[in-house]
Amino acid sequence: MQNLKEGLHALRRHAAWVLGALLVLAVTSLAAPRVLWGPEVPVLEVVRRDFVQTVVASGRVETPHRADVGVQVTGTVVAVPVAEGQKVAAGTPLIELESTEARATLAQAELAVTQAEARVRQVREVDAPNGEQAVRQAQANYDVADRTLQRNRDLFAKQFIGQAALDDSERAAYVAQAILRTAQQQLASSRPGGSNAVAADAALAQARAAADAARARLRYTRVLAPVSGTLIARNVEPGDVVQPGKALMTLSPDGATQLVVQIDEKNLKLLREGQQALASADAYPDQRFAAQLAYINPGVDAQRGSVEVKLAVPQPPAYLRQDMTVSVDVEVARRPAAVLVSAEALRDADTAHPWVLRVEDGHARRRPVQLGLRSRGWCEVLGGLAPGDRVVPTAGTAALQVTVGSKLRAQVRQDP
């Protein structure tokens, strides 16, 4: 019995030793790869594919020009027959002002024109013929007075009449001559180019100008749409007293649509007119449409450090509205079959000497790289890496523990 107990005790000691040995062996088997070959680290792979560099910006939708609508005379609004968002044709009434005074002024001006026209006809149809008749009568009287004077001079020379009779005949001839000259002057003034005719014509022109002004003032009481388009703003209501110089409505004319965006000035060297772009409205992010760079502002906004760029939209989608916020990707360069590395793997990327940690024989080795185009998290590699190379990213718990020369077991993960 005693021997049996000792045997069981020895067996238990042996089993505990075996279990401990197995546990040590298991731990060793798990730790050995890490010690021998380093930790498992997710890495990125250098790839070769077509690459497009884009410049991303945001902005708004607008037409090439907008029409701010206002009044040209002070007045009280009696009607606003259009609503914001309504499409209107050219000539559609937009605002109507109280027009009673303007209509009365026009009626008065038109009467003045009628009077001036009557005066012109009077000069031509009455004054001129009367003047001709007066000239003929004065000429006849002068001829009689002149002949009488000549006859009396002969009689005076023969002493048949006295000095008094001669003086009377000379005075009569002088008066007749003066009356003739006056009649001739009156006739000349009544003929075309004469002073009375010119004055009558001038008065008529002045009356017509006043009537045109009154007619224009009456037209100003109705504000019409200058072009066809969409009313995108309305800041006036019936009963308002309005004055010239204030925009009461904003009309977006029909026609070409463009996108106005602000692009960081550091990308100015990449932009060229005619470059293609893809845009999307923030309200419809999944529906992209084509655009083309049409204008680059020559000035730079110093406060924002940006450049205003305009893009033409040849076929705007139906949902596009004025002042919508849009995002734009402008294609500034394209490289077929380019060698690309994720920007996540670059170190000192914004310096003159960027580098990466490339996996070589299970170790992380520092390798300088030459970079080209950059866009959307990818960089073109001009030198230092080849397709299929594996590089250590700069983010991630395991990657952060990797330094130059560290051992590691690379695990290629999906592109970022």
Side-chain angles (χ1 to χ4, degrees):
M1 183 59 110
Q2 183 66 29
N3 291 335
L4 180 60
K5 290 181 179 180
E6 291 177 356
L8 291 173
H9 184 67
L11 183 60
R12 290 192 188 98
R13 287 199 306 269
H14 181 70
W17 182 84
V18 171
L19 182 60
L22 291 174
L23 182 60
V24 171
L25 182 61
V27 172
T28 303
S29 64
L30 291 175
R34 184 178 183 87
V35 173
L36 295 176
W37 300 295
E40 292 183 349
V41 177
V43 297
L44 304 172
E45 193 169 53
V46 179
V47 299
R48 183 189 296 276
R49 66 179 183 220
D50 293 345
F51 182 58
V52 176
Q53 183 183 23
T54 61
V55 172
V56 181
S58 62
R60 66 186 186 279
V61 179
E62 69 173 33
T63 54
H65 65 279
R66 300 184 184 189
D68 287 332
V69 179
V71 295
Q72 294 178 273
V73 294
T74 301
T76 302
V77 178
V78 296
V80 184
V82 291
E84 189 171 348
Q86 179 178 336
K87 290 187 69 66
V88 297
T92 301
L94 302 179
I95 303 171
E96 294 184 13
L97 302 180
E98 169 60 43
S99 60
T100 302
E101 182 180 353
R103 293 180 186 280
T105 302
L106 176 59
Q108 185 177 12
E110 289 175 341
L111 287 175
V113 170
T114 301
Q115 290 177 342
E117 290 174 342
R119 174 57 183 158
V120 169
R121 288 196 302 271
Q122 181 182 8
V123 169
R124 295 175 182 175
E125 299 172 4
V126 179
D127 292 354
N130 288 344
E132 292 175 355
Q133 181 64 30
V135 168
R136 285 194 294 269
Q137 184 175 356
Q139 183 68 51
N141 292 336
Y142 173 70
D143 290 343
V144 171
D146 185 61
R147 287 194 298 270
T148 301
L149 175 61
Q150 296 302 327
R151 186 168 53 253
N152 287 341
R153 284 176 177 171
D154 291 341
L155 294 174
F156 178 78
K158 296 176 181 179
Q159 298 183 351
F160 289 134
I161 61 173
Q163 184 67 44
L166 178 61
D167 292 342
D168 289 341
S169 61
E170 287 179 347
R171 184 167 52 253
Y174 177 78
V175 171
Q177 186 180 36
I179 292 174
L180 175 60
R181 288 175 181 173
T182 300
Q184 289 173 339
Q185 290 174 353
Q186 289 178 346
L187 175 60
S189 68
S190 300
R191 286 175 173 172
S195 59
N196 285 348
V198 170
D201 290 339
L204 176 59
Q206 184 177 8
R208 286 174 175 170
D212 289 341
R215 207 170 285 116
R217 187 175 180 85
L218 179 60
R219 284 198 302 268
Y220 292 158
T221 62
R222 293 181 80 231
V223 179
L224 307 180
V227 294
S228 298
T230 303
L231 195 66
I232 60 175
R234 167 184 152 167
N235 302 309
V236 62
E237 297 297 336
D240 291 349
V241 176
V242 293
Q243 295 179 341
K246 181 180 179 181
L248 304 177
M249 294 181 176
T250 301
L251 186 65
S252 173
D254 292 337
T257 298
Q258 66 182 14
L259 310 179
V260 180
V261 300
Q262 298 291 332
I263 293 182
D264 194 308
E265 64 177 310
K266 69 181 181 183
N267 295 317
L268 182 59
K269 63 181 179 182
L270 304 175
L271 301 177
R272 299 289 184 276
E273 291 185 7
Q275 290 174 332
Q276 301 300 313
L278 287 177
S280 63
D282 287 4
Y284 302 88
D286 298 330
Q287 301 183 40
R288 310 191 79 186
F289 55 91
Q292 186 178 45
L293 199 154
Y295 171 78
I296 303 173
N297 195 308
V300 176
D301 189 324
Q303 293 182 343
R304 292 186 290 184
S306 62
V307 178
E308 183 180 78
V309 171
K310 297 181 179 180
L311 299 100
V313 183
Q315 295 181 336
Y319 61 80
L320 216 57
R321 298 288 185 272
Q322 282 294 311
D323 294 320
M324 265 188 170
T325 301
V326 292
S327 297
V328 178
D329 292 349
V330 183
E331 181 180 321
V332 296
R334 180 181 289 270
R335 296 285 191 273
V339 178
L340 304 177
V341 64
S342 170
E344 191 178 347
L346 295 175
R347 289 160 168 81
D348 297 335
D350 295 328
T351 68
H353 304 287
W355 57 282
V356 298
L357 284 176
R358 185 172 68 177
V359 180
E360 300 177 12
D361 299 327
H363 291 77
R365 303 297 185 189
R366 176 174 175 144
R367 288 291 177 263
V369 292
Q370 297 176 4
L371 303 178
L373 303 181
R374 305 185 188 191
S375 182
R376 293 186 174 276
W378 289 93
C379 293
E380 179 188 19
V381 179
L382 303 179
L385 293 174
D389 284 349
R390 297 175 177 182
V391 291
V392 180
T394 58
T397 303
L400 290 174
Q401 298 175 358
V402 177
T403 59
V404 177
S406 296
K407 294 181 179 180
L408 73 156
R409 287 173 292 159
Q411 287 185 332
V412 178
R413 66 176 176 83
Q414 296 295 326
D415 292 343

